[in-house]
């Protein structure tokens, strides 16, 4: 018998230690969480706040078509295209409480969706949806993207012309209205007001407090902002657990001394009211879906049932497929219904595509102002759809090759440094390095062992991962490409990664062989 999904133990450092993950711990914790009185009176710790820098391959200002990760502005200053994404994550026991309630709410949420077949098919993010021919496996972004692309092909085949509209919600998680979310939560559990235990969890996700992770570096000694590794080691050796503080008292003392500052939820709307929920909590994804339940139902009714449109929503990414004549109606309905939910569609990110039958097959055009530009693919869940072929998003492939070059550069630098120190000939084991870079994940390359890292999926969402695991990695980017090619029935995807050895050898020549000769 396996432990339930909500009892997932993370190995990251936080204010207090994680549990052992044993059946004994599970039994004790479950007994506490089943006590509504215990949860109602539980005092949640502050969240840890960190910021992830996402490099963006965006258009260069004042350039018509060029894109880059950085550019030189009009003053000659180098600017990087980086989006800063704030993330918060909960103390270990707090996370278990949120995960426990998220699982209970998820069951009721799924019951609501299953009352309508179209609604159940339309909401895809953060849910376990079995693969049709393999019920013991769940669908992922590859399956969801393929379903959308297949629908486009079918509609073009039937009518010869179809429109795809891609909407994006502006700052989704950080703008959710607390009063509206409270109402939807209460309705889901058939209550007028939230019971005390649910209310406490609701407050932990909305009226949350937090501390900056970087502030913990102030606890270290010396002028440099680094963690006090000696102190962390002493806590590990003395108490047998990994945490930033030895005890709750130790944490409170640090706060009283002014070493650590506690802040309150700083997401505000234009009226200065507190809004939003943090990304990174075990309950955040469920609450985001719940928040848009009424929106989903309305879109199904007004556009799918009445107008025979096709609708899919993956978190804040919305796709509607319709006829050219329905374009204005779809835009109006989606925009107005979003306003009812007190969230805003990012009009500058709304994209409109037209797929048509031509002599060479299905052609795709992207609307830009009043013009339609040919061969601009639909980007969806990490894939590019051209009508006649599907590819992994080009920026993701570029990121993979950058990670590969990064691995070669680092290992070469280390080998040369050791050789210089020992006065010997630098040695680099090519096969070993080849295996290392093949297992470099797109977002894990700089993660330190036993510390929290955030894994960004191709869809853009983040998942907390700890390196403290005895499990072997389930695969790498090559197995992902192979799986995508098989599911999509698209050989062109495999061709995207066939330059791996060439780029690997070029990086090896640049960072190792050429420097070794000097």
């Amino acid at each position: 018998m396996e432990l339930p999904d909500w009892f997932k133990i993370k190995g990251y450092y936080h204010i207090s230690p994680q549990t052992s993950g044993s059946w004994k711990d599970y039994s004790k914790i479950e007994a506490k969480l089943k006590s509504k009185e215990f949860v109602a009176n539980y005092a949640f710790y502050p969240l840890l706040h960190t910021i992830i820098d996402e490099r963006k391959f965006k258009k260069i200002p004042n350039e018509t078509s060029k894109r880059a990760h950085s550019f030189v502005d009009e003053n000659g200053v180098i600017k990087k295209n980086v989006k800063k994404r704030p993330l918060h994550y909960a103390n270990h026991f707090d996370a278990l409480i949120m995960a426990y309630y998220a699982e209970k709410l998820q069951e009721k949420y799924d019951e609501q969706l299953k009352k309508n077949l179209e609604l159940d098919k339309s909401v895809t993010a953060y849910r376990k949806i079995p693969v049709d021919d393999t019920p013991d496996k769940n669908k992922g972004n590859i399956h969801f993207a393929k379903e959308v692309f297949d629908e486009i092909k079918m509609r073009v085949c039937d009518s010869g012309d179809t429109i795809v509209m891609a909407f994006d919600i502006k700052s989704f998680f950080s703008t959710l209205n607390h009063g509206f979310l409270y109402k939807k939560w209460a309705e889901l559990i058939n209550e007028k007001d939230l019971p005390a235990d649910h209310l406490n969890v609701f407050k932990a996700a909305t009226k949350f407090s937090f501390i900056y992770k970087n502030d913990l570096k102030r606890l270290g000694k010396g002028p440099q902002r680094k963690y006090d590794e000696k102190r962390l080691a002493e806590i590990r050796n003395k108490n047998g657990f990994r945490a930033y503080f030895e005890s709750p008292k130790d944490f409170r003392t640090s706060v009283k001394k002014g070493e650590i500052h506690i802040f309150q939820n700083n997401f505000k709307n234009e009226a200065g009211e507190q809004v939003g929920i943090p990304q990174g909590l075990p309950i955040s994804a469920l609450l985001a879906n719940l928040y848009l339940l009424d929106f989903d139902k309305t879109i199904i009714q007004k556009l799918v049932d009445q107008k025979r449109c096709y609708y899919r929503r993956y978190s804040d990414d919305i796709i509607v497929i319709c006829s050219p004549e329905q374009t204005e109606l779809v835009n109006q309905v989606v925009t107005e219904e979003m306003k009812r939910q007190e969230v805003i569609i990012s009009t500058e990110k709304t994209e409109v595509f037209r797929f048509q039958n031509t002599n060479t097959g299905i052609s795709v055009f992207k609307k830009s102002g009043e013009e339609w530009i040919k061969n601009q693919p639909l980007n969806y869940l990490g894939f590019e759809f051209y009508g006649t072929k599907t590819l992994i998003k080009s920026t993701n492939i570029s990121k993979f090759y950058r990670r590969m070059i990064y691995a070669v550069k680092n290992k070469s630098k280390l080998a040369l440094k050791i050789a210089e120190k020992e006065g010997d000939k630098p040695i680099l084991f090519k096969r070993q390095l080849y295996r290392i870079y093949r297992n470099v994940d797109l977002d894990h390359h700089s993660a330190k062992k036993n510390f929290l890292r955030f894994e960004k999926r191709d869809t853009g969402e983040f998942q907390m991962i700890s390196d403290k695991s005895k499990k072997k990695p389930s695969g790498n980017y090559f197995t992902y490409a192979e799986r995508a090619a098989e599911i999509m029935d698209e050989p062109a995807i495999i061709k995207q990664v066939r330059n791996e050895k060439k780029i690997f050898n070029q990086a090896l020549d640049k960072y190792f062989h050429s420097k070794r000769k000097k």
Side-chain angles (χ1 to χ4, degrees):
M1 183 177 176
E2 294 185 359
L3 290 165
D5 288 342
W6 65 265
F7 193 70
K8 288 183 178 179
I9 307 304
K10 308 289 186 181
Y12 58 80
Y13 274 69
H14 212 291
I15 294 170
S16 64
Q18 75 274 30
T19 62
S20 66
S22 66
W23 275 100
K24 185 179 179 181
D25 270 348
Y26 164 69
S27 300
K28 290 180 180 179
I29 292 172
E30 184 187 39
K32 289 181 178 179
L33 301 192
K34 283 184 174 180
S35 169
K36 295 181 180 180
E37 183 180 358
F38 173 83
V39 176
N41 294 293
Y42 180 77
F44 285 88
Y45 280 92
L47 306 176
L48 276 190
H49 175 284
T50 189
I51 294 177
I52 300 295
D53 287 341
E54 293 183 62
R55 294 181 68 192
K56 295 291 183 180
F57 194 67
K58 298 173 64 176
K59 285 185 178 180
I60 300 175
N62 302 321
E63 294 280 353
T64 55
S65 60
K66 290 184 179 180
R67 290 174 175 266
H69 290 102
S70 60
F71 62 93
V72 179
D73 68 8
E74 55 188 12
N75 298 318
V77 179
I78 297 176
K79 298 284 187 178
K80 293 183 178 180
N81 287 322
V82 175
K83 179 179 179 181
K84 293 188 177 294
R85 185 187 292 270
L87 294 171
H88 304 74
Y89 53 103
N91 199 41
H92 295 284
F93 190 81
D94 300 16
L96 291 179
I97 296 176
M98 293 181 183
Y100 178 78
Y101 274 76
E103 187 171 283
K104 291 169 64 176
L105 293 174
Q106 185 71 50
E107 292 174 3
K108 294 186 177 294
Y109 173 74
D110 284 336
E111 289 174 6
Q112 290 291 316
L113 296 187
K114 293 184 184 301
K115 291 179 180 179
N116 184 308
L117 180 59
E118 287 298 330
L119 180 63
D120 190 35
K121 292 190 297 185
S122 296
V123 182
T124 55
Y126 318 127
R127 299 180 60 211
K128 292 182 178 180
I129 303 175
V131 177
D132 298 332
D133 55 350
T134 315
D136 59 326
K137 293 184 179 180
N138 294 315
K139 293 180 180 180
N141 66 302
I142 302 173
H143 301 89
F144 300 138
K146 183 179 186 300
E147 289 172 0
V148 169
F149 302 155
D150 286 347
E151 180 70 19
I152 295 172
K153 292 176 184 177
M154 184 186 71
R155 290 188 175 232
V156 173
C157 183
D158 290 342
S159 66
D161 195 355
T162 196
I163 294 291
V164 179
M165 302 188 71
F167 300 90
D168 184 84
I169 303 175
K170 190 173 183 178
S171 305
F172 182 39
F173 281 84
S174 60
T175 59
L176 301 188
N177 181 278
H178 291 171
F180 188 84
L181 180 60
Y182 178 97
K183 179 183 176 183
K184 300 314 301 176
W185 190 328
E187 287 178 357
L188 186 67
I189 60 175
N190 294 316
E191 297 283 354
K192 183 179 179 181
D193 294 304
L194 290 180
D197 57 325
H198 282 263
L199 180 60
N200 198 25
V201 180
F202 171 81
K203 288 180 178 178
T206 56
K207 309 293 183 182
F208 61 90
S209 61
F210 66 91
I211 61 177
Y212 287 101
K213 188 178 178 182
N214 276 342
D215 282 355
L216 295 172
K217 295 179 179 180
R218 294 177 180 172
L219 303 177
K221 297 178 181 179
Q224 293 184 335
R225 290 177 61 83
K226 293 183 178 180
Y227 295 107
D228 189 345
E229 297 293 348
K230 182 178 179 181
R231 181 171 177 269
L232 296 180
E234 288 175 352
I235 293 174
R236 288 196 304 268
N237 296 331
K238 179 180 178 181
N239 302 290
F241 60 71
R242 301 184 303 114
Y244 288 116
F245 298 92
E246 186 174 345
S247 65
K249 181 181 178 181
D250 184 22
F251 169 68
R252 290 193 295 270
T253 300
S254 184
V255 173
K256 289 179 181 178
K257 288 181 177 180
E259 296 173 329
I260 298 295
H261 300 284
I262 299 178
F263 301 88
Q264 299 301 313
N265 173 8
N266 54 1
F267 296 140
K268 306 285 185 181
N269 60 16
E270 292 181 355
E273 299 169 330
Q274 200 174 61
V275 295
I277 60 174
Q279 293 191 63
L281 303 185
I283 201 170
S284 296
L286 178 276
L287 295 183
N289 267 344
L290 175 61
Y291 192 91
L292 291 180
L293 180 57
D294 284 349
F295 171 81
D296 295 325
K297 288 180 178 179
T298 303
I299 296 300
I300 295 298
Q301 178 191 0
K302 290 185 176 182
L303 296 181
V304 178
D305 293 343
Q306 296 179 11
K307 302 298 180 181
R308 313 311 301 166
C309 298
Y310 180 90
Y311 169 67
R312 288 293 184 269
R313 181 177 65 80
Y314 193 103
S315 188
D316 56 350
D317 288 325
I318 297 168
I319 287 282
V320 180
I321 305 176
C322 62
S323 66
E325 298 76 23
Q326 295 172 323
T327 304
E328 187 175 338
L329 172 66
V330 168
N331 186 60
Q332 180 183 344
V333 170
V334 171
T335 303
E336 288 181 354
E337 291 305 320
M338 274 298 172
K339 286 182 179 178
R340 294 181 193 275
Q341 319 304 316
E342 299 195 29
V343 288
I344 301 172
I345 288 293
S346 183
T347 54
E348 66 273 13
K349 292 185 179 180
T350 298
E351 297 179 321
V352 182
F353 299 86
R354 191 165 196 163
F355 289 84
Q356 293 180 321
N357 250 334
T358 62
N359 295 332
T360 57
I362 300 176
S363 295
V364 57
F365 304 83
K366 182 178 180 181
K367 192 169 187 179
S368 177
E370 298 300 320
E371 297 182 5
W372 291 93
I373 303 175
K374 192 174 182 180
N375 294 329
Q376 295 294 307
L378 167 65
N379 285 308
Y380 186 60
L381 302 186
F383 293 92
E384 295 174 344
F385 182 56
Y386 291 83
T388 55
K389 66 179 178 180
T390 303
L391 298 175
I392 293 175
K393 193 175 179 180
S394 55
T395 52
N396 290 351
I397 292 293
S398 299
K399 184 186 288 187
F400 166 70
Y401 283 130
R402 286 199 305 274
R403 296 295 188 260
M404 180 183 70
I405 295 170
Y406 175 93
V408 174
K409 180 180 179 180
N410 266 15
K411 292 298 178 182
S412 298
K413 186 177 180 181
L414 180 61
L416 293 167
K417 186 176 181 180
I418 291 174
E420 183 180 359
K421 184 178 180 180
E422 297 182 356
D424 203 353
K425 182 180 179 181
I427 299 175
L428 194 65
F429 297 98
K430 188 174 179 179
R431 287 186 180 180
Q432 184 185 47
L433 180 57
Y434 187 75
R435 287 196 300 270
I436 289 173
Y437 98 74
R438 267 184 155 263
N439 284 291
V440 171
D441 192 283
L442 287 182
D443 296 280
H444 300 176
H445 70 282
S446 62
K448 296 181 180 179
K449 288 186 176 181
N450 296 327
F451 277 86
L452 167 74
R453 68 172 181 252
F454 287 97
E455 171 185 319
K456 185 184 178 185
R457 298 178 177 178
D458 291 323
T459 58
E461 64 177 302
F462 284 85
Q463 180 182 10
M464 290 191 302
I465 300 293
S466 168
D467 282 307
K468 189 180 181 183
S469 172
K470 295 180 181 179
K471 293 182 180 180
K472 294 181 179 180
S474 57
N476 54 38
Y477 205 62
F478 292 93
T479 58
Y480 174 79
E482 290 168 0
R483 190 166 69 253
E486 180 181 357
I487 294 173
M488 293 278 189
D489 190 21
E490 182 57 88
I493 291 176
I494 295 298
K495 294 180 181 179
Q496 288 183 279
V497 292
R498 73 168 37 164
N499 286 331
E500 49 155 329
K501 288 187 178 180
K502 178 182 177 181
I503 295 176
F504 172 80
N505 287 323
Q506 287 176 344
L508 201 62
D509 287 338
K510 180 178 181 179
Y511 294 108
F512 184 72
H513 295 310
S514 62
K515 295 183 182 296
R516 185 177 60 174
K517 294 174 183 178
K518 292 181 179 179

